[in-house]
PDB file of all heavy atoms in Angstrom:
ATOM      1  N   GLY A1419     102.813  97.056  75.428  1.00 90.00           N
ATOM      2  CA  GLY A1419     101.963  97.186  74.256  1.00 90.00           C
ATOM      3  C   GLY A1419     102.295  96.290  73.087  1.00 90.00           C
ATOM      4  O   GLY A1419     101.712  96.464  72.008  1.00 90.00           O
ATOM      5  N   GLU A1420     103.228  95.362  73.240  1.00 93.00           N
ATOM      6  CA  GLU A1420     103.626  94.490  72.134  1.00 93.00           C
ATOM      7  C   GLU A1420     103.095  93.045  72.424  1.00 93.00           C
ATOM      8  O   GLU A1420     102.847  92.671  73.552  1.00 93.00           O
ATOM      9  CB  GLU A1420     105.156  94.465  72.007  1.00 93.00           C
ATOM     10  CG  GLU A1420     105.769  95.731  71.452  1.00 93.00           C
ATOM     11  CD  GLU A1420     105.693  95.798  69.949  1.00 93.00           C
ATOM     12  OE1 GLU A1420     105.275  94.805  69.317  1.00 93.00           O
ATOM     13  OE2 GLU A1420     106.004  96.863  69.365  1.00 93.00           O
ATOM     14  N   ASP A1421     103.054  92.261  71.352  1.00 93.00           N
ATOM     15  CA  ASP A1421     102.725  90.846  71.496  1.00 93.00           C
ATOM     16  C   ASP A1421     103.982  90.066  71.688  1.00 93.00           C
ATOM     17  O   ASP A1421     104.913  90.142  70.864  1.00 93.00           O
ATOM     18  CB  ASP A1421     102.024  90.351  70.222  1.00 93.00           C
ATOM     19  CG  ASP A1421     101.792  88.841  70.270  1.00 93.00           C
ATOM     20  OD1 ASP A1421     101.036  88.385  71.137  1.00 93.00           O
ATOM     21  OD2 ASP A1421     102.385  88.119  69.434  1.00 93.00           O
ATOM     22  N   PRO A1422     104.181  89.402  72.843  1.00 93.00           N
ATOM     23  CA  PRO A1422     105.408  88.685  73.123  1.00 93.00           C
ATOM     24  C   PRO A1422     105.854  87.718  72.046  1.00 93.00           C
ATOM     25  O   PRO A1422     107.045  87.672  71.658  1.00 93.00           O
ATOM     26  CB  PRO A1422     105.154  87.989  74.460  1.00 93.00           C
ATOM     27  CG  PRO A1422     104.067  88.816  75.093  1.00 93.00           C
ATOM     28  CD  PRO A1422     103.229  89.320  73.969  1.00 93.00           C
ATOM     29  N   ARG A1423     104.931  86.923  71.545  1.00 92.00           N
ATOM     30  CA  ARG A1423     105.295  85.904  70.510  1.00 92.00           C
ATOM     31  C   ARG A1423     105.850  86.580  69.269  1.00 92.00           C
ATOM     32  O   ARG A1423     106.906  86.178  68.751  1.00 92.00           O
ATOM     33  CB  ARG A1423     104.025  85.095  70.143  1.00 92.00           C
ATOM     34  CG  ARG A1423     104.287  84.097  69.049  1.00 92.00           C
ATOM     35  CD  ARG A1423     103.109  83.194  68.839  1.00 92.00           C
ATOM     36  NE  ARG A1423     103.368  82.177  67.810  1.00 92.00           N
ATOM     37  CZ  ARG A1423     102.704  81.071  67.679  1.00 92.00           C
ATOM     38  NH1 ARG A1423     101.709  80.818  68.476  1.00 92.00           N
ATOM     39  NH2 ARG A1423     102.979  80.224  66.705  1.00 92.00           N
ATOM     40  N   THR A1424     105.192  87.658  68.795  1.00 95.00           N
ATOM     41  CA  THR A1424     105.640  88.324  67.606  1.00 95.00           C
ATOM     42  C   THR A1424     107.016  88.972  67.868  1.00 95.00           C
ATOM     43  O   THR A1424     107.901  88.952  67.013  1.00 95.00           O
ATOM     44  CB  THR A1424     104.642  89.450  67.208  1.00 95.00           C
ATOM     45  OG1 THR A1424     103.365  88.826  66.972  1.00 95.00           O
ATOM     46  CG2 THR A1424     105.096  90.176  65.990  1.00 95.00           C
ATOM     47  N   PHE A1425     107.200  89.582  69.051  1.00 95.00           N
ATOM     48  CA  PHE A1425     108.422  90.305  69.341  1.00 95.00           C
ATOM     49  C   PHE A1425     109.608  89.344  69.473  1.00 95.00           C
ATOM     50  O   PHE A1425     110.712  89.614  68.986  1.00 95.00           O
ATOM     51  CB  PHE A1425     108.268  91.124  70.631  1.00 95.00           C
ATOM     52  CG  PHE A1425     109.244  92.256  70.716  1.00 95.00           C
ATOM     53  CD1 PHE A1425     109.075  93.408  69.988  1.00 95.00           C
ATOM     54  CD2 PHE A1425     110.336  92.135  71.563  1.00 95.00           C
ATOM     55  CE1 PHE A1425     109.974  94.456  70.084  1.00 95.00           C
ATOM     56  CE2 PHE A1425     111.229  93.178  71.660  1.00 95.00           C
ATOM     57  CZ  PHE A1425     111.053  94.350  70.908  1.00 95.00           C
ATOM     58  N   ILE A1426     109.391  88.215  70.140  1.00 94.00           N
ATOM     59  CA  ILE A1426     110.444  87.210  70.279  1.00 94.00           C
ATOM     60  C   ILE A1426     110.859  86.681  68.924  1.00 94.00           C
ATOM     61  O   ILE A1426     112.049  86.493  68.617  1.00 94.00           O
ATOM     62  CB  ILE A1426     110.008  86.090  71.234  1.00 94.00           C
ATOM     63  CG1 ILE A1426     109.900  86.612  72.671  1.00 94.00           C
ATOM     64  CG2 ILE A1426     110.974  84.919  71.186  1.00 94.00           C
ATOM     65  CD1 ILE A1426     109.213  85.640  73.631  1.00 94.00           C
ATOM     66  N   THR A1427     109.856  86.400  68.109  1.00 94.00           N
ATOM     67  CA  THR A1427     110.123  85.857  66.748  1.00 94.00           C
ATOM     68  C   THR A1427     110.909  86.889  65.913  1.00 94.00           C
ATOM     69  O   THR A1427     111.828  86.519  65.168  1.00 94.00           O
ATOM     70  CB  THR A1427     108.815  85.512  66.048  1.00 94.00           C
ATOM     71  OG1 THR A1427     108.108  84.533  66.830  1.00 94.00           O
ATOM     72  CG2 THR A1427     109.056  84.916  64.658  1.00 94.00           C
ATOM     73  N   ARG A1428     110.555  88.154  66.069  1.00 96.00           N
ATOM     74  CA  ARG A1428     111.208  89.227  65.344  1.00 96.00           C
ATOM     75  C   ARG A1428     112.725  89.263  65.607  1.00 96.00           C
ATOM     76  O   ARG A1428     113.526  89.532  64.743  1.00 96.00           O
ATOM     77  CB  ARG A1428     110.602  90.579  65.684  1.00 96.00           C
ATOM     78  CG  ARG A1428     111.299  91.800  65.055  1.00 96.00           C
ATOM     79  CD  ARG A1428     110.746  93.110  65.593  1.00 96.00           C
ATOM     80  NE  ARG A1428     111.511  94.214  65.097  1.00 96.00           N
ATOM     81  CZ  ARG A1428     111.334  95.455  65.543  1.00 96.00           C
ATOM     82  NH1 ARG A1428     110.455  95.736  66.456  1.00 96.00           N
ATOM     83  NH2 ARG A1428     112.106  96.421  65.037  1.00 96.00           N
ATOM     84  N   LEU A1429     113.103  88.973  66.868  1.00 96.00           N
ATOM     85  CA  LEU A1429     114.492  89.085  67.282  1.00 96.00           C
ATOM     86  C   LEU A1429     115.156  87.687  67.268  1.00 96.00           C
ATOM     87  O   LEU A1429     116.150  87.481  67.976  1.00 96.00           O
ATOM     88  CB  LEU A1429     114.607  89.685  68.663  1.00 96.00           C
ATOM     89  CG  LEU A1429     114.210  91.168  68.732  1.00 96.00           C
ATOM     90  CD1 LEU A1429     114.348  91.693  70.153  1.00 96.00           C
ATOM     91  CD2 LEU A1429     115.108  92.000  67.813  1.00 96.00           C
ATOM     92  N   LYS A1430     114.699  86.785  66.439  1.00 93.00           N
ATOM     93  CA  LYS A1430     115.269  85.465  66.359  1.00 93.00           C
ATOM     94  C   LYS A1430     116.767  85.548  66.115  1.00 93.00           C
ATOM     95  O   LYS A1430     117.229  86.267  65.250  1.00 93.00           O
ATOM     96  CB  LYS A1430     114.612  84.684  65.224  1.00 93.00           C
ATOM     97  CG  LYS A1430     115.083  83.261  65.082  1.00 93.00           C
ATOM     98  CD  LYS A1430     114.315  82.523  64.002  1.00 93.00           C
ATOM     99  CE  LYS A1430     114.794  81.091  63.864  1.00 93.00           C
ATOM    100  NZ  LYS A1430     113.994  80.333  62.829  1.00 93.00           N
ATOM    101  N   GLY A1431     117.531  84.804  66.927  1.00 94.00           N
ATOM    102  CA  GLY A1431     118.981  84.789  66.787  1.00 94.00           C
ATOM    103  C   GLY A1431     119.666  85.840  67.642  1.00 94.00           C
ATOM    104  O   GLY A1431     120.891  85.814  67.800  1.00 94.00           O
ATOM    105  N   ARG A1432     118.890  86.783  68.253  1.00 97.00           N
ATOM    106  CA  ARG A1432     119.492  87.844  69.055  1.00 97.00           C
ATOM    107  C   ARG A1432     119.041  87.770  70.523  1.00 97.00           C
ATOM    108  O   ARG A1432     119.367  88.649  71.282  1.00 97.00           O
ATOM    109  CB  ARG A1432     119.098  89.210  68.479  1.00 97.00           C
ATOM    110  CG  ARG A1432     119.600  89.433  67.078  1.00 97.00           C
ATOM    111  CD  ARG A1432     119.265  90.832  66.557  1.00 97.00           C
ATOM    112  NE  ARG A1432     120.000  91.841  67.335  1.00 97.00           N
ATOM    113  CZ  ARG A1432     119.910  93.148  67.101  1.00 97.00           C
ATOM    114  NH1 ARG A1432     119.138  93.583  66.102  1.00 97.00           N
ATOM    115  NH2 ARG A1432     120.573  94.025  67.833  1.00 97.00           N
ATOM    116  N   VAL A1433     118.308  86.724  70.846  1.00 96.00           N
ATOM    117  CA  VAL A1433     117.790  86.559  72.218  1.00 96.00           C
ATOM    118  C   VAL A1433     118.513  85.428  72.928  1.00 96.00           C
ATOM    119  O   VAL A1433     118.460  84.283  72.486  1.00 96.00           O
ATOM    120  CB  VAL A1433     116.279  86.283  72.217  1.00 96.00           C
ATOM    121  CG1 VAL A1433     115.724  86.166  73.647  1.00 96.00           C
ATOM    122  CG2 VAL A1433     115.535  87.390  71.450  1.00 96.00           C
ATOM    123  N   ALA A1434     119.215  85.767  74.011  1.00 95.00           N
ATOM    124  CA  ALA A1434     119.964  84.752  74.747  1.00 95.00           C
ATOM    125  C   ALA A1434     119.130  84.176  75.880  1.00 95.00           C
ATOM    126  O   ALA A1434     119.333  83.012  76.247  1.00 95.00           O
ATOM    127  CB  ALA A1434     121.248  85.345  75.317  1.00 95.00           C
ATOM    128  N   LEU A1435     118.269  84.964  76.458  1.00 92.00           N
ATOM    129  CA  LEU A1435     117.496  84.519  77.619  1.00 92.00           C
ATOM    130  C   LEU A1435     116.075  85.076  77.520  1.00 92.00           C
ATOM    131  O   LEU A1435     115.875  86.140  76.950  1.00 92.00           O
ATOM    132  CB  LEU A1435     118.123  85.002  78.927  1.00 92.00           C
ATOM    133  CG  LEU A1435     119.502  84.443  79.310  1.00 92.00           C
ATOM    134  CD1 LEU A1435     120.092  85.340  80.400  1.00 92.00           C
ATOM    135  CD2 LEU A1435     119.388  83.041  79.780  1.00 92.00           C
ATOM    136  N   VAL A1436     115.133  84.347  78.102  1.00 92.00           N
ATOM    137  CA  VAL A1436     113.731  84.845  78.126  1.00 92.00           C
ATOM    138  C   VAL A1436     113.188  84.671  79.536  1.00 92.00           C
ATOM    139  O   VAL A1436     113.335  83.595  80.144  1.00 92.00           O
ATOM    140  CB  VAL A1436     112.834  84.048  77.139  1.00 92.00           C
ATOM    141  CG1 VAL A1436     111.387  84.434  77.309  1.00 92.00           C
ATOM    142  CG2 VAL A1436     113.287  84.298  75.709  1.00 92.00           C
ATOM    143  N   HIS A1437     112.607  85.703  80.041  1.00 88.00           N
ATOM    144  CA  HIS A1437     111.846  85.673  81.293  1.00 88.00           C
ATOM    145  C   HIS A1437     110.394  85.423  80.894  1.00 88.00           C
ATOM    146  O   HIS A1437     109.666  86.312  80.442  1.00 88.00           O
ATOM    147  CB  HIS A1437     111.947  86.961  82.103  1.00 88.00           C
ATOM    148  CG  HIS A1437     113.202  87.024  82.911  1.00 88.00           C
ATOM    149  ND1 HIS A1437     113.465  88.076  83.796  1.00 88.00           N
ATOM    150  CD2 HIS A1437     114.284  86.210  82.963  1.00 88.00           C
ATOM    151  CE1 HIS A1437     114.645  87.849  84.350  1.00 88.00           C
ATOM    152  NE2 HIS A1437     115.148  86.732  83.857  1.00 88.00           N
ATOM    153  N   LEU A1438     109.924  84.164  81.077  1.00 87.00           N
ATOM    154  CA  LEU A1438     108.579  83.737  80.668  1.00 87.00           C
ATOM    155  C   LEU A1438     107.650  83.947  81.818  1.00 87.00           C
ATOM    156  O   LEU A1438     107.576  83.156  82.732  1.00 87.00           O
ATOM    157  CB  LEU A1438     108.621  82.287  80.209  1.00 87.00           C
ATOM    158  CG  LEU A1438     107.327  81.744  79.626  1.00 87.00           C
ATOM    159  CD1 LEU A1438     106.921  82.488  78.370  1.00 87.00           C
ATOM    160  CD2 LEU A1438     107.495  80.270  79.315  1.00 87.00           C
ATOM    161  N   LYS A1439     106.912  85.060  81.828  1.00 81.00           N
ATOM    162  CA  LYS A1439     106.030  85.433  82.900  1.00 81.00           C
ATOM    163  C   LYS A1439     104.640  85.721  82.398  1.00 81.00           C
ATOM    164  O   LYS A1439     104.457  86.261  81.299  1.00 81.00           O
ATOM    165  CB  LYS A1439     106.579  86.655  83.684  1.00 81.00           C
ATOM    166  CG  LYS A1439     107.951  86.427  84.286  1.00 81.00           C
ATOM    167  CD  LYS A1439     108.372  87.573  85.161  1.00 81.00           C
ATOM    168  CE  LYS A1439     108.596  88.835  84.423  1.00 81.00           C
ATOM    169  NZ  LYS A1439     109.300  89.866  85.223  1.00 81.00           N
ATOM    170  N   ASP A1440     103.679  85.372  83.198  1.00 78.00           N
ATOM    171  CA  ASP A1440     102.281  85.556  82.836  1.00 78.00           C
ATOM    172  C   ASP A1440     101.815  86.956  83.223  1.00 78.00           C
ATOM    173  O   ASP A1440     102.465  87.637  84.009  1.00 78.00           O
ATOM    174  CB  ASP A1440     101.394  84.509  83.526  1.00 78.00           C
ATOM    175  CG  ASP A1440     100.100  84.242  82.760  1.00 78.00           C
ATOM    176  OD1 ASP A1440      99.818  84.963  81.759  1.00 78.00           O
ATOM    177  OD2 ASP A1440      99.344  83.365  83.206  1.00 78.00           O
ATOM    178  N   ILE A1441     100.655  87.359  82.691  1.00 71.00           N
ATOM    179  CA  ILE A1441     100.086  88.662  83.020  1.00 71.00           C
ATOM    180  C   ILE A1441      98.596  88.539  82.972  1.00 71.00           C
ATOM    181  O   ILE A1441      98.040  87.808  82.127  1.00 71.00           O
ATOM    182  CB  ILE A1441     100.560  89.743  82.021  1.00 71.00           C
ATOM    183  CG1 ILE A1441     100.002  91.121  82.393  1.00 71.00           C
ATOM    184  CG2 ILE A1441     100.182  89.409  80.575  1.00 71.00           C
ATOM    185  CD1 ILE A1441     100.567  92.266  81.570  1.00 71.00           C
ATOM    186  N   ARG A1442      97.918  89.157  83.910  1.00 71.00           N
ATOM    187  CA  ARG A1442      96.480  89.069  84.009  1.00 71.00           C
ATOM    188  C   ARG A1442      95.807  89.715  82.769  1.00 71.00           C
ATOM    189  O   ARG A1442      96.208  90.806  82.359  1.00 71.00           O
ATOM    190  CB  ARG A1442      95.962  89.757  85.261  1.00 71.00           C
ATOM    191  CG  ARG A1442      94.477  89.647  85.498  1.00 71.00           C
ATOM    192  CD  ARG A1442      94.092  90.164  86.873  1.00 71.00           C
ATOM    193  NE  ARG A1442      94.738  89.386  87.909  1.00 71.00           N
ATOM    194  CZ  ARG A1442      94.708  89.713  89.183  1.00 71.00           C
ATOM    195  NH1 ARG A1442      94.152  90.842  89.584  1.00 71.00           N
ATOM    196  NH2 ARG A1442      95.304  88.956  90.105  1.00 71.00           N
ATOM    197  N   SER A1443      94.866  89.050  82.212  1.00 71.00           N
ATOM    198  CA  SER A1443      94.174  89.549  80.974  1.00 71.00           C
ATOM    199  C   SER A1443      93.538  90.886  81.322  1.00 71.00           C
ATOM    200  O   SER A1443      92.882  91.066  82.337  1.00 71.00           O
ATOM    201  CB  SER A1443      93.109  88.505  80.537  1.00 71.00           C
ATOM    202  OG  SER A1443      92.399  89.034  79.445  1.00 71.00           O
ATOM    203  N   GLY A1444      93.689  91.835  80.398  1.00 65.00           N
ATOM    204  CA  GLY A1444      93.105  93.163  80.572  1.00 65.00           C
ATOM    205  C   GLY A1444      93.969  94.163  81.283  1.00 65.00           C
ATOM    206  O   GLY A1444      93.588  95.321  81.473  1.00 65.00           O
ATOM    207  N   THR A1445      95.196  93.756  81.739  1.00 64.00           N
ATOM    208  CA  THR A1445      96.095  94.686  82.385  1.00 64.00           C
ATOM    209  C   THR A1445      96.457  95.803  81.439  1.00 64.00           C
ATOM    210  O   THR A1445      96.831  95.559  80.289  1.00 64.00           O
ATOM    211  CB  THR A1445      97.368  93.966  82.865  1.00 64.00           C
ATOM    212  OG1 THR A1445      96.993  92.910  83.777  1.00 64.00           O
ATOM    213  CG2 THR A1445      98.304  94.926  83.577  1.00 64.00           C
ATOM    214  N   ALA A1446      96.347  97.036  81.901  1.00 58.00           N
ATOM    215  CA  ALA A1446      96.607  98.226  81.060  1.00 58.00           C
ATOM    216  C   ALA A1446      98.083  98.333  80.706  1.00 58.00           C
ATOM    217  O   ALA A1446      98.960  97.886  81.433  1.00 58.00           O
ATOM    218  CB  ALA A1446      96.121  99.485  81.745  1.00 58.00           C
ATOM    219  N   PHE A1447      98.365  98.973  79.558  1.00 56.00           N
ATOM    220  CA  PHE A1447      99.746  99.266  79.162  1.00 56.00           C
ATOM    221  C   PHE A1447     100.315 100.291  80.133  1.00 56.00           C
ATOM    222  O   PHE A1447      99.689 101.255  80.493  1.00 56.00           O
ATOM    223  CB  PHE A1447      99.791  99.833  77.748  1.00 56.00           C
ATOM    224  CG  PHE A1447      99.245  98.912  76.679  1.00 56.00           C
ATOM    225  CD1 PHE A1447      98.798  99.448  75.494  1.00 56.00           C
ATOM    226  CD2 PHE A1447      99.238  97.577  76.869  1.00 56.00           C
ATOM    227  CE1 PHE A1447      98.300  98.623  74.510  1.00 56.00           C
ATOM    228  CE2 PHE A1447      98.751  96.741  75.894  1.00 56.00           C
ATOM    229  CZ  PHE A1447      98.271  97.277  74.705  1.00 56.00           C
ATOM    230  N   GLU A1448     101.571 100.052  80.559  1.00 60.00           N
ATOM    231  CA  GLU A1448     102.242 100.973  81.474  1.00 60.00           C
ATOM    232  C   GLU A1448     103.712 101.033  81.071  1.00 60.00           C
ATOM    233  O   GLU A1448     104.343 100.013  80.841  1.00 60.00           O
ATOM    234  CB  GLU A1448     102.113 100.489  82.921  1.00 60.00           C
ATOM    235  CG  GLU A1448     100.678 100.417  83.458  1.00 60.00           C
ATOM    236  CD  GLU A1448     100.607  99.719  84.788  1.00 60.00           C
ATOM    237  OE1 GLU A1448     101.675  99.432  85.391  1.00 60.00           O
ATOM    238  OE2 GLU A1448      99.490  99.472  85.238  1.00 60.00           O
ATOM    239  N   PHE A1449     104.253 102.233  81.019  1.00 60.00           N
ATOM    240  CA  PHE A1449     105.657 102.409  80.689  1.00 60.00           C
ATOM    241  C   PHE A1449     106.430 102.588  81.971  1.00 60.00           C
ATOM    242  O   PHE A1449     106.601 103.720  82.474  1.00 60.00           O
ATOM    243  CB  PHE A1449     105.837 103.592  79.721  1.00 60.00           C
ATOM    244  CG  PHE A1449     105.102 103.401  78.432  1.00 60.00           C
ATOM    245  CD1 PHE A1449     104.045 104.204  78.072  1.00 60.00           C
ATOM    246  CD2 PHE A1449     105.447 102.347  77.559  1.00 60.00           C
ATOM    247  CE1 PHE A1449     103.335 104.036  76.895  1.00 60.00           C
ATOM    248  CE2 PHE A1449     104.765 102.163  76.384  1.00 60.00           C
ATOM    249  CZ  PHE A1449     103.712 103.011  76.046  1.00 60.00           C
ATOM    250  N   GLN A1450     106.887 101.464  82.524  1.00 59.00           N
ATOM    251  CA  GLN A1450     107.557 101.411  83.834  1.00 59.00           C
ATOM    252  C   GLN A1450     108.990 100.918  83.639  1.00 59.00           C
ATOM    253  O   GLN A1450     109.350 100.276  82.650  1.00 59.00           O
ATOM    254  CB  GLN A1450     106.799 100.498  84.778  1.00 59.00           C
ATOM    255  CG  GLN A1450     105.401 100.955  85.100  1.00 59.00           C
ATOM    256  CD  GLN A1450     105.318 102.102  86.075  1.00 59.00           C
ATOM    257  OE1 GLN A1450     106.332 102.458  86.692  1.00 59.00           O
ATOM    258  NE2 GLN A1450     104.172 102.713  86.207  1.00 59.00           N
ATOM    259  N   ASP A1451     109.789 101.251  84.650  1.00 60.00           N
ATOM    260  CA  ASP A1451     111.192 100.803  84.592  1.00 60.00           C
ATOM    261  C   ASP A1451     111.549  99.743  85.579  1.00 60.00           C
ATOM    262  O   ASP A1451     112.706  99.572  85.982  1.00 60.00           O
ATOM    263  CB  ASP A1451     112.160 102.009  84.744  1.00 60.00           C
ATOM    264  CG  ASP A1451     111.886 102.790  86.025  1.00 60.00           C
ATOM    265  OD1 ASP A1451     110.984 102.380  86.767  1.00 60.00           O
ATOM    266  OD2 ASP A1451     112.558 103.796  86.230  1.00 60.00           O
TER     267      ASP A1451
END
């Protein structure tokens, strides 16, 4: 449910690695592990 760009920018300086993966437009929010 978050915007990746905003979230990554928010944690500037605290992110060591990023998994840059695409997602199909319209995919519903899901709280999965």
Side-chain angles (χ1 to χ4, degrees):
E1420 290 277 353
D1421 175 64
R1423 176 172 183 162
T1424 302
F1425 201 76
I1426 291 170
T1427 303
R1428 176 187 174 188
L1429 292 179
K1430 183 176 180 178
R1432 299 184 65 180
V1433 181
L1435 295 164
V1436 173
H1437 278 186
L1438 185 61
K1439 298 188 294 193
D1440 204 356
I1441 182 172
R1442 183 172 297 170
S1443 178
T1445 301
F1447 300 156
E1448 298 171 8
F1449 299 114
Q1450 298 283 349
D1451 54 2

